Amino acid sequence: MESGKVMLGVLGGLAAGVLLGVLFAPAKGSKTRKRILNKGKGYANGLKDKFEKIYKEGADKYNGLLSEAKDKISKSEI
């Protein structure tokens, strides 16, 4: 089994456990909904940051390769 699938399964199980724990906790419904909303926002922000980092790294690599290609083309035309 691939380690990525295992990690995804572990994270999914962890998220489900946290959600069930919050749902069955002895708190008012409004408090529980706020907790779930805050957790969701936290996870969403974390994913957004990771995707932005990956996008920036990819864009930087692309721009570097493009610059190298332009340099090689301009040198070969001389």
Side-chain angles (χ1 to χ4, degrees), residues 26-38:
K28 288 177 75 176
S30 59
K31 222 176 201 182
T32 301
R33 287 189 295 274
K34 284 181 184 178
R35 285 183 188 169
I36 292 171
L37 182 63
N38 289 336

Side-chain angles (χ1 to χ4, degrees), residues 9-62:
V10 168
L11 290 175
L14 181 64
V18 168
L19 182 62
L20 288 174
V22 170
L23 287 175
F24 288 108
K28 288 177 75 176
S30 59
K31 222 176 201 182
T32 301
R33 287 189 295 274
K34 284 181 184 178
R35 285 183 188 169
I36 292 171
L37 182 63
N38 289 336
K39 288 277 188 191
K41 285 181 181 179
Y43 290 135
N45 288 336
L47 283 174
K48 180 182 172 189
D49 292 342
K50 287 180 184 180
F51 282 125
E52 285 176 352
K53 180 181 175 186
I54 291 170
Y55 176 79
K56 185 180 180 323
E57 289 174 358
D60 289 345
K61 286 181 183 181
Y62 171 78

